[in-house]
């Protein structure tokens, strides 16, 4: 039997008081506890009383036992928690929380003020997710009796991807634990002693000089604005959050993406998805929004006329492709299917190929040697390929891409594709079949790969391509017993389709340049 | 391997021959305290001398009265050893020459004799006022035997306890330790037998025992002295403990600042192995056990058991929340016993003697004896051992000889930096776990600092808190931030900037830190503040309300002034003042310029007429030009 606040509650042996309280909707303020991390017991916000024990016990490390009688709210507990919280705030730039004008300020001062130094919540990039503010509200906190102390630590902005302002750090140790226990990296550690204790790398090295993976897990678990991803600051509450699967490699990491103004503004590992505990990579965590929000995206279909590529609409572009297909025998046509397509698009390509009796289906760069061998005249590729001008037999090139990648300048038709964050479907990963969710709209006329195939098929009067949703394609695949395959893209592959990620994401370039010498992975 | 009895017989013979030998023997107290006092040059001098006069020189540990060091003992055949105190190299040579050559024992210079027989005019050392009220059980061998010679230890009944234990069932060993009432000497006073029992009862077969030799309290040196004077006692206790709980590996966690202690341990471990007292199949009992030494970097918090375990595992010395206790999940996640040096050092005698022998010392709940380092403003400082339950009066006035310069006795601080300050009114209370807790102090590892009337309690609390907040591991909020705020408040008060609301804040902080902190360091950190605030509230009020430091210690609250009546105009102060703050003509009263004075105290200490006074700043209206 377990009693919390006078009520008998169901419990499971081996769980902590905090876990049981949460399961039963009993609020206990916490700052260092995090559901993905081993408990630490540092913030002392979760203090409760256990009947028969003299002092207070912290709920986040104390395991429940049969017969335990727990009190989570009392005057004495409140006094202790408030006092501890007051101590935390005495070393955190929290003036905005105490400010008498805070309500007005929040209402009329739209947007966070960008500032080099964070002096309060209204200059803090993480204001909206800040857990201190939530607790402050819950405790209805209004004053601090202790002198305020600003640590005057240098703000660390000399690394790619994320900034660190340890003047905001409350020493909850989440970043230290996630780095050590989840990422297995141990880059972040506690340094110094006593009141000078701080979190950081050993010897205060920049992260780029350590073995930091820039997985961003530390940023994601930080309850304050101490750690912030540089490219996703200042956007306040997102309009929407959508979870999807990263397609940049076969690992199949799930992300939750913040959407604002129709663009991806930030992302973090999907908290609902446990397989992430094997670690996530910098490409997914930090590069995606910068990569895919990029201005260099292909936005309009183009057709070559008089040696120049002119923008056009989809009907004309599809008709052009159809025309090319009709003008060449299938044996002289080849399809290059990029590993970065969702399973449904991949299937539709193989389907159209078989309908048109095209047998030259290439899936890797090595397959390209067949162009010369077989005297291929038409190449329809779904990713930019290098040195296409070297294949003398090629007469027509159709490029379906997200970016104006290699081969763009030799193409006869350009088909702008939606990125995987702009379409719905499934992909097969190391974790099995996972869903891809449409997070944002594709830019301008860019279209999902499978829709482009369907359009071309229509132009060719092929039947069996009239799909409205990918779920219908999935249904057909299931009926035919066709399964997606993992695509053989390993974690440290540097491209998305035909484009080097580093070309579009400057911070990533800094990283791989810096690590080239010593980090064999990249 | 020779059997134990033969080993002991040989050891006894070698010990006896040391006393029966023709060649005189010099015993030199060469523990760290003796070395700090300058015993090594004395030893050098005597080594030189030994080229002329045949002599054996033996380095022993600390015999207790540190204020008398360097101490040497001279033994000639058939006579008791004579101890001489405060010896310097030349003087030592004279002492030896006078005694050995001229046969003059110089009773006026001796402090006592050790051993059988009497020498005219010299009392037995055991009758020395600092020694006679002590009961030396753990310290029995310290200063007597050569700690580097296992034969000496064996001759003093060493390893008899282990032999007995190995003949018993482990459960019975634990039972016996429980019967003795032995409680942990490292601080919390947890019953040792019970701790062993818990650990033994854990299902996990792999178990460890750790000797906590971190001793981080500034000013405490009990453990160091014991290790340096009698390392085998501690190690024997450890082997017994290991046998009792079923551990096959032990760690000695010793701070790296104790090089001599580490050296003693290393030599002792090597000797034990050679004698079959450690390693495989100890004394043919089938029990195997090995000990590794781990050096700690010397952080105070690393003495806390979970931090110590983290440190042994190569992690940052940061405590973690208990439970699980080390007895459940200790080093490498395995059940582990952690015991203090003194606890383990007491175990052999408990196994060797009848249970009732040990329980005759101490109080109902605090059995046996405890060592204390007696320091501060007391006449006789040093390492003492008394039965638990001895009164403060006995310790301070009988053993310690009273307050230095016969000043007023104000308080004692017991239990190290996070102990409590007990005022003189409680002089007849006793030193034992229960009483100390009742008074707001803790046993800690047994540091006793005597405080006289010249000490300001605000300054004292500030000093301890300064140490504690710098030694906090920084993990939990109440300790890391709270202690800093508490310290800042004390600093503010000591500067005369406090206000009446600060009392509430002090109490609030003390509550939050003691109730909210994760480990013992934080939980006990406010003790000096709580106790001084309870017992010396008026002194705080003087600082806060009247802006006066009654003890004239807080520099911002007093001024130096020359008493014109007393000043003889010797000009000494004027010449010595480092900032030229003093003016005055020869034979005329001198004057101190308050604004220039940096309060270095030089004038005051050097004034032959004692004409320089400290006056409350508030009593003077400073007219600035
Ligand atoms: C901050 C702190 C410092 C400590 N330092 C020591 C120490 O130096 N030596 C020691 O034996 N115990 C020390 N302890 C106590 C240990 O945690 C532990 O209780 C003790 O070693 C257990 O041994 P015992 O049962 O023999 O006393 C310390 C505790 C705290 C909280
Ligand atoms: S982290 Fe940012 S939002 Fe949160 S309290 Fe600190 S300054 Fe305010
Ligand atoms: S980015 Fe990842 S590897 Fe780098 S410090 Fe943060 S958690 Fe550790
Ligand atoms: S940086 Fe953030 S996550 Fe890390 S300890 Fe500080 S507040 Fe916690
Ligand atoms: S009480 Fe102090 S020393 Fe102990 S865990 Fe907390 S911060 Fe560290
Ligand atoms: S206390 Fe020092 S500075 Fe002040 S007057 Fe005396 S000697 Fe000079
Ligand atoms: S949540 Fe329990 S101590 Fe931080
Ligand atoms: S000024 Fe305080 S919240 Fe705006």
């Amino acid at each position: 039997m377990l009693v919390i606040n006078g009520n008998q509650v169901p419990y499971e042996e081996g769980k902590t008081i905090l876990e049981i309280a949460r399961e039963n909707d009993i609020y206990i303020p916490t700052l260092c506890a995090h559901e993905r991390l081993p408990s630490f017991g540092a913030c002392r916000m979760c203090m409760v009383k256990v009947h028969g024990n003299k002092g207070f016990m912290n709920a986040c490390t104390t395991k429940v036992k049969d017969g335990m009688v727990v009190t989570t709210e009392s005057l004495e507990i409140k006094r202790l928690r408030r006092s501890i919280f007051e101590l935390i705030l005495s070393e955190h730039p929290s003036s905005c929380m105490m400010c008498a004008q805070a309500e007005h300020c929040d209402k009329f001062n739209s947007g966070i003020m960008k500032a080099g130094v964070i002096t309060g919540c209204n200059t803090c990039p993480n204001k909206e997710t800040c857990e201190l503010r939530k607790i402050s509200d819950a405790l209805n906190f209004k004053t601090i009796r202790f002198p305020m102390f600003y640590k005057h630590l240098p703000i660390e902005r000399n690394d790619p991807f994320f900034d660190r302002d340890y003047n905001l750090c409350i020493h909850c140790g989440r970043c230290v634990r996630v780095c050590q226990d989840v990422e297995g990296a141990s880059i972040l550690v506690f340094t110094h002693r006593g009141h000078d204790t701080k979190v950081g790398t050993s010897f205060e090295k920049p992260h780029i000089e350590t073995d930091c993976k820039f997985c961003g897990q530390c940023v994601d678990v930080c309850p304050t604005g101490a750690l912030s991803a540089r490219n996703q600051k200042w956007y306040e509450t997102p309009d929407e959050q959508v979870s999807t699967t990263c397609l940049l490699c076969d690992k199949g990491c799930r992300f939750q993406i913040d959407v604002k103004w129709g663009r991806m503004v930030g992302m973090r590992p999907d908290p609902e998805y446990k397989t992430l505990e094997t670690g996530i990579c910098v490409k997914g965590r930090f590069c995606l929004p910068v990569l895919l929000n990029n201005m260099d995206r292909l936005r309009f279909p183009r057709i070559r006329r008089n040696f120049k590529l002119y923008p056009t609409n989809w009907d004309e572009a599809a008709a052009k492709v159809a025309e090319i297909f009709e003008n060449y025998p299938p044996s002289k046509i080849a399809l290059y299917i990029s590993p970065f397509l969702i399973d449904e698009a991949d299937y539709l390509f193989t389907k159209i190929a078989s309908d048109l009796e095209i047998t030259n289906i290439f899936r890797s760069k090595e397959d390209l040697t067949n162009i010369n061998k077989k005297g291929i005249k038409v190449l329809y590729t779904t990713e930019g390929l290098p040195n296409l001008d070297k294949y003398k037999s090629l007469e027509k090139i159709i490029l379906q891409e997200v970016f104006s990648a290699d081969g763009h300048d030799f193409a006869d038709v350009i088909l702008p594709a939606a990125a995987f964050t702009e379409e719905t479907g499934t992909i097969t990963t190391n974790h099995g079949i996972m869903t891809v969710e449409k997070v944002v709209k594709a830019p301008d006329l860019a279209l999902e790969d499978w829709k482009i195939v369907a359009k071309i098929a229509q132009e060719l009067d092929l039947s069996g391509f009239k799909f409205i949703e990918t779920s219908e394609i999935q249904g057909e695949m299931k009926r035919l017993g066709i399964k997606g395959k993992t695509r053989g893209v390993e974690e440290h592959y540097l491209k998305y389709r035909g484009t080097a990620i580093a070309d579009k994401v400057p911070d990533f370039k800094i990283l791989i340049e810096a690590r080239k010498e010593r980090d064999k992975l990249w | 391997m020779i059997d134990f009895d033969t080993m002991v017989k040989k050891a006894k013979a070698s010990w006896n021959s040391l006393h029966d030998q023709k060649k005189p023997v010099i015993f030199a107290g060469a523990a760290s305290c003796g070395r700090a006092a300058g015993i090594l040059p004395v030893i050098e001098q005597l080594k030189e001398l030994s080229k002329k006069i045949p002599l054996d020189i033996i380095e022993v540990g600390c015999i207790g009265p540190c204020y008398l060091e360097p101490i040497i003992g001279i033994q000639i055949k058939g006579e008791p050893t004579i101890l001489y105190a405060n010896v310097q190299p030349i003087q030592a040579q004279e002492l030896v020459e006078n005694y050995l050559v001229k046969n003059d024992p110089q009773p006026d210079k001796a402090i006592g004799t050790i051993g059988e027989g009497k020498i005219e005019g010299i009392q037995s050392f055991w009758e020395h006022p600092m020694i006679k009220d002590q009961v030396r059980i753990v310290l029995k061998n310290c200063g007597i035997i050569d700690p580097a010679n296992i034969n000496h230890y064996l001759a003093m009944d060493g390893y008899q306890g282990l032999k007995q234990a190995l003949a018993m069932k482990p459960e019975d060993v634990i039972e016996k330790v429980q019967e003795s009432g032995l409680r942990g000497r490292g601080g919390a006073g947890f019953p040792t037998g019970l701790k062993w029992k818990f650990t033994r009862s854990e299902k996990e077969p792999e178990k460890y025992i750790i000797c906590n030799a971190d001793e981080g309290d500034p000013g405490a040196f009990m453990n160091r002295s014991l290790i340096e004077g009698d390392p085998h006692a501690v190690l024997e206790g450890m082997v017994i403990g290991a046998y009792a709980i079923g551990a096959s590996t032990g760690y000695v966690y010793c701070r790296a600042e104790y090089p001599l202690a580490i050296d003693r341990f290393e030599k002792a471990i090597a000797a034990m192995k050679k004698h079959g007292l450690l390693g495989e199949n100890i004394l043919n009992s089938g029990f195997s056990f090995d000990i590794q030494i781990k050096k700690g970097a010397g952080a105070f918090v690393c003495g806390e058991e979970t931090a110590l375990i983290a440190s042994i595992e190569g992690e940052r010395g940061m405590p973690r929340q208990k439970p699980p206790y080390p007895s459940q999940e200790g080093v490498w996640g395995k059940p582990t016993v952690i015991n203090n040096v003194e606890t383990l050092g007491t175990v052999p005698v408990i196994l060797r003697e009848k249970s009732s022998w040990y329980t005759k010392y101490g109080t109902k709940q605090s059995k046996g004896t405890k060592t204390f380092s007696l320091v501060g403003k007391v006449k006789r400082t040093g390492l003492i051992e008394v039965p638990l339950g001895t009164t403060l009066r006995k310790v301070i006035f009988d053993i310690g000889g009273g307050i230095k310069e016969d000043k007023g006795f104000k308080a004692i601080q017991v239990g190290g930096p996070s102990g409590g300050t007990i005022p003189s009114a409680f002089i007849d209370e006793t030193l034992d776990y229960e009483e100390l807790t009742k008074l707001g102090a803790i046993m800690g590892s047994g540091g006793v600092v005597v405080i006289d009337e010249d000490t300001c309690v605000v300054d004292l609390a500030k000093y301890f808190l300064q140490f504690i907040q710098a030694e906090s591991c920084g993990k939990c909020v109440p300790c890391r931030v709270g202690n800093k705020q508490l310290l800042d408040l004390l600093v503010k008060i000591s500067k005369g900037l406090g206000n009446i609301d600060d009392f509430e804040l002090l109490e609030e902080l003390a509550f939050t830190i003691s109730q909210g902190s994760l480990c013992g360091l934080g939980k006990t950190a406010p003790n000096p503040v709580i106790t001084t605030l309870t017992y010396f509230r008026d002194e705080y009020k003087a600082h806060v309300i009247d802006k006066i430091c009654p003890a004239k210690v807080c520099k911002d609250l007093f001024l130096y002034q020359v008493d014109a009546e007393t000043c003889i105009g010797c000009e000494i102060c004027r010449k010595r003042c480092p900032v030229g703050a003093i003016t005055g003509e020869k034979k005329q009263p001198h004057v101190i310029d308050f604004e220039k004075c940096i309060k270095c105290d030089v004038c005051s200490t050097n004034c032959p007429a004692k004409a320089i006074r400290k006056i409350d700043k508030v009593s003077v209206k400073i007219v600035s030009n």
Side-chain angles (χ1 to χ4, degrees), chain B residues 463-490:
Chain B
Y463 168 79
F464 287 126
L465 219 69
Q466 176 74 50
F467 173 81
I468 286 289
Q469 72 90 29
E471 289 294 324
S472 156
C473 82
K475 177 171 178 173
C476 69
V477 175
C479 177
R480 184 190 65 249
V481 189
N483 280 319
K484 177 69 167 58
Q485 290 282 8
L486 195 54
L487 174 64
D488 287 352
L489 259 178
L490 291 175

Side-chain angles (χ1 to χ4, degrees), chain A residues 174-198:
Chain A
R174 286 189 190 175
C175 56
V176 173
R177 279 173 287 155
V178 84
C179 189
Q180 179 168 349
D181 299 325
V182 178
E183 273 304 307
S186 297
I187 304 303
L188 289 172
V189 291
F190 283 97
T191 62
H192 301 84
R193 222 193 274 172
H195 185 249
D196 297 335
T197 304
K198 74 178 282 288

Side-chain angles (χ1 to χ4, degrees), chain A residues 40-44 47 55-56 58 61 76 79-80 83-84 87-88 90-91 145-147 170-171 180 190-195 197, chain B residues 298-299 315-316 318 321 469-478 480-482 484-485 504-505 507-509 511-512 515-518:
Chain A
F40 194 50
C43 75
R44 320 305 288 172
M47 299 303 249
F56 298 84
N58 52 330
T61 60
E76 201 187 18
R79 173 180 170 205
L80 183 62
S83 189
I84 293 170
L87 287 173
I88 295 176
S90 76
E91 304 210 327
R145 292 167 295 169
F146 304 119
I170 58 162
H171 302 70
Q180 179 168 349
F190 283 97
T191 62
H192 301 84
R193 222 193 274 172
H195 185 249
T197 304
Chain B
E315 304 275 331
R316 176 179 166 99
M318 247 187 185
Q321 187 71 41
Q469 72 90 29
E471 289 294 324
S472 156
C473 82
K475 177 171 178 173
C476 69
V477 175
R480 184 190 65 249
V481 189
K484 177 69 167 58
Q485 290 282 8
E504 200 189 309
L505 274 193
E507 271 153 15
E508 178 75 6
L509 278 168
F511 165 81
T512 308
Q515 296 301 306
S517 290
L518 189 159

Side-chain angles (χ1 to χ4, degrees), chain A residues 115-136:
Chain A
V117 177
I118 301 161
T119 53
C121 307
N122 279 358
T123 49
C124 177
N126 291 5
K127 182 180 174 193
E128 295 306 323
T129 47
C130 175
E131 294 180 31
L132 291 182
R133 290 176 61 86
K134 286 176 196 149
I135 290 186
S136 173

Side-chain angles (χ1 to χ4, degrees), chain B residues 520-534:
Chain B
L521 189 147
K523 283 192 207 304
T524 56
N527 280 343
V529 179
I530 296 173
T531 48
T532 51
L533 209 51
T534 310

Side-chain angles (χ1 to χ4, degrees), chain B residues 70-121:
Chain B
I71 297 174
I72 58 167
I74 310 175
Q75 174 212 287
I76 53 180
K77 185 171 179 213
E79 300 286 348
T81 304
I82 309 176
L83 299 183
Y84 299 97
N86 300 123
V87 294
Q88 298 308 318
I90 304 294
Q91 188 201 357
Q93 176 160 354
E94 281 167 17
L95 284 170
V96 174
E97 282 171 345
N98 284 344
Y99 186 27
L100 301 190
V101 184
K102 299 185 194 146
N103 200 19
D104 175 8
Q106 308 149 93
D108 51 319
K109 294 185 179 129
I111 53 163
T113 60
I114 289 181
E116 279 175 30
K118 207 176 144 36
I119 289 175
E120 192 53 40

